[in-house]
Amino acid sequence: MIAALPPPKNIDEDKVIFPMAEPSNVTRALRSGIGTDTSAGAVIPPIHLSTTYTFAGFNEPRPHDYARAANPTRELLADAIVTLEGGAGGVVCGSGMGAIATVLLAMLKVGDSIAIPHDCYGGSWRLFHRLAERGGFTVHTLDFTQTEESIAAVTELAPTVVWLETPSNPLLRITDLAPIIAAAKAVGAKTVVDNTFLTPILQQPLALGADIVVHSTTKYLNGHSDVIGGAVVAADAVDAEMCDFWAKTAGTMGNAFDSWMVLRGMRTLPIRMRAHEAGAAAVAAALADHPDVLAVHYPGLPDHPSHEIAARQQAGFGGMVSFELAGELQVRSFIDGLQCFSLAESLGGTESLISHPITMTHASMSPDALAKAGLTDGLLRLSVGLEDPADLIADLLEGLERAAG
Ligand SMILES: *Cc1c(COP(=O)(O)O)cnc(C)c1O
């Protein structure tokens, strides 16, 4: 929880805004872990590296005994993410996949079923299918961007869990969360939303009725491309308890140092997200205007097929943009020579990245599956960083000139 601010002095009663009943998410993120140290009064919390804790005396355990079960630094980060998402509780994990595996351990048993997006994160897709192949549970893949069809399918299948991810990767397709979550609830299914791409600053699935949110904190929450981490947040205290239980039982929880790093990253999350978004909007507009660009996928563009839904359910359009060139030949000369974009997987860091999905993140998909998902060999994905947008645009325009040969 955030430390209470002192009441101001000599104020006009009519204009009283303090003490703050409900600080904004910006203030909450900025105060993550600040002023929580009781040992020395450190403004920035210390990192608790100890793996074990003394008992106060014979048969007198303290709140912490062994760091796999509970760690004060990890708890500060969990509190910060839970507060931003508006959940009842949660747990910090060692990676985004660790968080996703923790949710599966907590929610699915033999004979259950899960409905997942046909274009969900590749790692999630692999985990769901490989586990299902062992006979654990059934996987149904749906195109959740088709709202009416999805509602009908969820109603008919009545799965144990409905797994959602919006915007999707790499085409930035949007799922209309509220009606699909309502349909899931109506058949007793739990809904999990992977909120990695937008963070709680730009989208709050629990407020739209979701039961659980998962994050790869590796991306925007840490924001500096130097930690692998994840988190689970649950709307309900019992679900949160189950996820925490499985994280400590299976050992999928995060470590103290990484938790501290992510806590530091989160203090700039609101301003980073706004800057990522401003850069992405400028880049998307510049690409959309260019005759050699076949298509631009960015939910902030008015002609994006789900622009209206994104504008309604999100507080911003985010920092990811994808676009299409004519083919692989153009892609090669476009990428060779870029100054401000590093050719690399992942996203959400301060630096701009470019990736070619079909030879990188989505290389394991069959040509058939690629075609079905709409991934062409000219498709490129950008994680727009915090560099000057004018430089990013100049770099991209030069690349388009090279690609035109
Ligand atoms: C990266 C990512 C993950 C997996 O997270 P890791 O931290 O790499 O384990 C899951 N979901 C989405 C949407 C991601 O982008």
Side-chain angles (χ1 to χ4, degrees), residues 215-401:
H215 277 286
S216 167
T217 59
T218 309
K219 317 295 168 50
Y220 289 107
L221 290 189
N222 178 59
H224 294 74
S225 305
D226 50 13
V227 170
I228 294 284
V232 182
V233 177
D236 178 81
V238 176
D239 286 341
E241 192 68 30
M242 285 303 284
C243 291
D244 186 54
F245 171 84
W246 280 105
K248 71 183 176 204
T249 301
T252 55
M253 75 304 144
N255 69 42
F257 184 78
D258 288 351
S259 297
W260 188 87
M261 293 283 278
V262 178
L263 205 50
R264 178 166 79 158
M266 282 187 55
R267 295 192 196 108
T268 54
L269 179 67
I271 46 175
R272 282 189 288 107
M273 290 315 288
R274 288 301 169 197
H276 282 298
E277 182 182 11
V283 161
L287 290 171
D289 277 347
H290 200 283
D292 295 343
V293 176
L294 305 186
V296 180
H297 309 285
Y298 184 64
L301 291 174
D303 63 356
H304 183 281
S306 304
H307 174 71
E308 304 292 316
I309 301 170
R312 162 161 51 78
Q313 85 183 358
Q314 302 172 195
F317 298 109
M320 301 299 295
V321 177
S322 60
F323 65 102
E324 288 173 44
L325 299 181
E328 207 156 315
L329 221 69
Q330 284 78 6
V331 163
R332 187 179 293 274
S333 38
F334 178 82
I335 286 176
D336 289 345
L338 286 175
Q339 307 285 312
C340 302
F341 290 83
S342 306
L343 180 63
E345 295 181 358
S346 198
L347 59 125
T350 54
E351 71 293 339
S352 288
L353 301 178
I354 186 166
S355 70
H356 183 235
I358 75 159
T359 55
M360 296 168 69
T361 47
H362 293 64
S364 61
M365 282 172 78
S366 66
D368 209 38
L370 286 171
K372 212 166 148 201
L375 305 191
T376 62
D377 56 2
L379 183 71
L380 289 164
R381 187 191 80 176
L382 305 176
S383 171
V384 179
L386 305 184
E387 301 89 345
D388 187 334
D391 291 333
L392 296 179
I393 290 168
D395 199 22
L396 294 171
L397 294 181
E398 268 176 41
L400 288 169
E401 242 170 73

Side-chain angles (χ1 to χ4, degrees), residues 94-98 100 121 123-124 165 167 169 194-197 214-219 227-230 346-347 381:
S95 68
M97 289 316 303
I100 291 165
Y121 177 73
S124 313
E165 190 182 316
N169 176 31
D194 186 331
N195 204 24
T196 299
F197 268 39
V214 295
H215 277 286
S216 167
T217 59
T218 309
K219 317 295 168 50
V227 170
I228 294 284
S346 198
L347 59 125
R381 187 191 80 176

